[in-house]
Amino acid sequence: MSAAEPASLFSALGDSTRLGLVRRLSDGRERSIVQLGDGLPMSRQAVAKHLDVLHGAGLVHRRRSGREVHYALRRDAIEAARHWLGEVSAQWDGTLARLKAMVEEGNRQGPLP
Amino acid sequence: MSAAEPASLFSALGDSTRLGLVRRLSDGRERSIVQLGDGLPMSRQAVAKHLDVLHGAGLVHRRRSGREVHYALRRDAIEAARHWLGEVSAQWDGTLARLKAMVEEGNRQGPLP
DNA sequence: GATATAAGCAACCAGGAGGTTGCTTATATG
DNA sequence: CATATAAGCAACCTCCTGGTTGCTTATATC
């Protein structure tokens, strides 16, 4: 699945188990379900469901290899989420810069009503 | 509430209504509940609940002023979420750089087993 | 060919999320 | 003082989520 809506992206990241999976995949290497679930206090099916959610949000890529299925992180999705947050920060900066300019302009001309 | 766990942060952002509220607040100005809910196809209480979630995750700051309650975006929380994603990207880059170095090293010394 | 291993499918369950409505309380304003 | 407005509280409902278990299917391996 391709990069989805920002809300689905964040929603998929909004679970500590899935965040752990993402971190585990953050080296760019691909891993099977059992590898990813190793050490986690839940069943293989639960892990598979979490990976389904990540895949549904476009955060991971899925590749079948023999009897195994390998998952790899999709960097573009991570960047998409990061970009959304960047836009928020940018608008903040932009507005504050404009406000500051306005205030300075106002001070030069005298106090505002 | 102060900046919380990354999972709570992303979870709070994982809803299109709340993303809309965050975007609406991204100019840094504070707004009341009614102002924030204006135009949204839901009751005031629903909006208040969403703002509660954002506040619980540390994404907004709450200030009482007379009979109104004003909400403002907390930039540090946005940056915290952005930073987490940045770490993932960075590890990706780091591993790839190391891998590339290893491959080049390997090529100089001959093919790996 | 027999057996072990990886994954898929389906049913089920408890609890939380997102929404509603009705009523109350507190602050502004005519 | 009377009334309008902003917000809080609580109960309720439905649907989704995160987890389970049991069984099946497909691929490796001895």
Side-chain angles (χ1 to χ4, degrees):
Chain A
M1 204 170 257
S2 276
E5 302 254 311
S8 324
L9 240 40
F10 290 125
S11 176
L13 293 171
D15 177 282
S16 52
T17 300
R18 288 195 291 270
L19 278 192
L21 294 173
V22 167
R23 230 181 308 131
R24 204 171 278 207
L25 286 169
S26 66
D27 60 0
R29 285 180 25 218
E30 59 178 25
R31 286 171 181 79
S32 72
I33 296 186
V34 280
Q35 284 179 315
L36 285 167
D38 187 55
L40 295 187
M42 65 187 64
S43 68
R44 176 184 54 82
Q45 274 82 351
V47 176
K49 276 195 188 177
H50 281 300
L51 287 167
D52 260 3
V53 173
L54 290 174
H55 186 248
L59 275 158
V60 296
H61 174 250
R62 188 183 230 151
R63 190 178 66 86
R64 177 134 219 157
S65 162
R67 73 180 156 181
E68 300 184 338
V69 171
H70 289 107
Y71 289 88
L73 196 58
R74 291 194 48 174
R75 213 210 180 175
D76 54 345
I78 294 287
E79 288 305 312
R82 207 150 76 103
H83 181 253
W84 195 93
L85 295 169
E87 292 284 303
V88 171
S89 273
Q91 174 162 4
W92 180 297
D93 289 337
T95 310
L96 254 56
R98 256 176 277 123
L99 186 65
K100 192 181 164 214
M102 246 175 63
V103 168
E104 285 171 352
E105 184 70 13
N107 282 346
R108 215 180 310 139
Q109 301 185 346
L112 296 166
Chain B
M1 206 170 257
S2 277
E5 302 255 310
S8 323
L9 240 41
F10 289 126
S11 176
L13 293 171
D15 176 283
S16 52
T17 300
R18 287 194 293 269
L19 278 191
L21 293 173
V22 168
R23 229 180 309 130
R24 204 172 280 208
L25 286 169
S26 66
D27 60 1
R29 285 181 22 221
E30 59 177 27
R31 286 171 181 78
S32 72
I33 297 186
V34 278
Q35 284 178 316
L36 284 167
D38 186 56
L40 296 188
M42 65 187 66
S43 69
R44 176 183 56 82
Q45 275 83 349
V47 176
K49 277 195 189 181
H50 281 300
L51 288 167
D52 259 2
V53 173
L54 290 174
H55 185 248
L59 274 159
V60 296
H61 174 250
R62 189 182 227 150
R63 189 178 67 86
R64 176 132 218 160
S65 161
R67 73 180 156 181
E68 300 185 337
V69 172
H70 289 105
Y71 288 88
L73 195 58
R74 291 194 47 173
R75 212 207 181 179
D76 54 345
I78 294 286
E79 288 305 312
R82 209 150 77 103
H83 181 253
W84 195 94
L85 296 169
E87 291 285 303
V88 171
S89 273
Q91 175 161 3
W92 181 297
D93 290 337
T95 309
L96 254 58
R98 256 176 278 125
L99 185 66
K100 194 182 163 214
M102 245 175 62
V103 168
E104 285 171 352
E105 185 70 13
N107 282 347
R108 217 180 308 140
Q109 301 185 344
L112 297 166

